[in-house]
Amino acid sequence: TVMASKVNLDISEKLNITCRRGDTFTLTLNLKDSSGTAITLATSGHEFLMQVRGAKNTRSKTRPLIMGTASKGRSAEKDGETTNFTFSTDDSGNVTISAADSVMRRVPAGRYVYDIQQIVNEVTTTILEGVFIVNDDVSKINE
């Protein structure tokens, strides 16, 4: 018999994202199964979670939540206002992740890390991760 020396259960892909503070954020992903068929996200009950986190705190070893949902129903906040993503899905494999310009104005310019998880039948899988760069905005509305 042959014994495997390791197994890698991390199926996430790396995707670095650059966006602009104060602009509407919209990212559409098309998800397919291993045979290349679009996944019916709307009818199969897919849920999604995206978090953007800052630099690791040297004392606590944790990263502060900058934007996103820490858990179902608990959003990041900046100055008492939520900084959250919304998700819409269809049955052609598309999930669109959005944040209004009013939300993106509350996210400081900087370099962060993020990941996106899908939750299906209580099984959570990270599908994307990478660097999340927010460029500063020149035009500001009522600030």
Side-chain angles (χ1 to χ4, degrees), residues 1-137:
T1 55
V2 176
M3 296 296 290
S5 61
K6 67 179 180 175
V7 63
N8 184 356
L9 301 176
D10 184 359
I11 64 160
S12 66
E13 297 284 332
K14 186 168 200 75
L15 177 69
N16 295 333
I17 298 171
T18 301
C19 57
R20 183 165 297 278
R21 182 177 191 221
D23 286 2
T24 301
F25 178 91
T26 305
L27 174 66
T28 300
L29 306 173
N30 184 261
L31 304 181
K32 298 179 180 181
D33 64 18
S34 58
S35 66
T37 304
I39 300 170
T40 55
L41 299 174
T43 58
S44 61
H46 277 67
E47 295 179 281
F48 293 89
L49 173 71
M50 181 172 178
Q51 293 183 351
V52 175
R53 291 190 173 264
K56 193 178 285 187
N57 182 301
T58 53
R59 284 201 179 122
S60 67
K61 305 292 186 217
T62 61
R63 293 180 179 272
L65 182 61
I66 302 298
M67 183 177 189
T69 305
S71 60
K72 290 181 186 175
R74 193 170 135 240
S75 301
E77 288 193 4
K78 172 103 174 116
D79 301 326
E81 303 273 347
T82 61
T83 52
N84 198 10
F85 294 102
T86 59
F87 302 90
S88 61
T89 59
D90 66 24
D91 283 337
S92 298
N94 297 309
V95 55
T96 300
I97 306 160
S98 304
D101 59 341
S102 59
V103 169
M104 291 302 295
R105 273 196 295 278
R106 293 190 291 271
V107 179
R111 184 181 177 94
Y112 308 105
V113 295
Y114 84 95
D115 72 8
I116 300 172
Q117 297 175 333
Q118 70 175 0
I119 303 131
V120 188
N121 299 324
E122 303 301 317
V123 175
T124 301
T125 308
T126 300
I127 57 173
L128 281 176
E129 57 88 19
V131 177
F132 191 90
I133 298 170
V134 179
N135 290 334
D136 204 4
D137 197 7

